[in-house]
């Protein structure tokens, strides 16, 4: 049985308080990495050309982790657009 090696992600100790800083894509480098991988694999293409599993394989994490990063990144981007 093959198991995927997981690496620890260093996260900021506190979340930013400024609205503009909170939605800054450079503030969350791991989310940016996941979104970049998703874009390059065709995750956002219509019809979709990649799955959470494909994105996860590309960045070396579990599909559920990739999905969580994408949801958080999408949420940050959308919140930044409507504020």
């Amino acid at each position: 049985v093959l198991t995927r090696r997981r690496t620890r992600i260093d996260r900021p100790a506190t979340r930013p308080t400024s609205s503009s800083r909170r939605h800054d894509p450079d503030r969350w480098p791991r989310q940016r990495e996941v979104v970049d991988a998703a874009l390059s694999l065709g995750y956002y293409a219509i019809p979709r050309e990649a799955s959470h599993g494909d994105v996860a394989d590309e960045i070396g994490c579990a599909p559920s982790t990739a999905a969580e990063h994408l949801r958080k990144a999408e949420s940050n981007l959308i919140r930044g657009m409507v504020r």
Side-chain angles (χ1 to χ4, degrees), residues 9-16 21 27-30:
I9 299 171
D10 292 326
R11 294 191 175 111
T14 59
R15 296 198 180 256
R21 184 83 169 131
R27 177 73 175 133
W28 307 105
R30 183 64 168 171

Side-chain angles (χ1 to χ4, degrees), residues 25-71:
D26 294 329
R27 177 73 175 133
W28 307 105
R30 183 64 168 171
Q31 289 177 12
R32 177 65 183 252
E33 177 187 1
V34 176
V35 170
D36 287 344
L39 283 169
S40 69
L41 293 170
Y43 178 81
Y44 291 106
I46 299 173
R48 185 165 282 163
E49 298 171 357
S51 66
H52 289 142
D54 297 326
V55 175
D57 289 343
E58 182 72 16
I59 61 168
C61 69
S64 61
T65 302
E68 181 179 353
H69 282 305
L70 287 170
R71 278 193 309 274

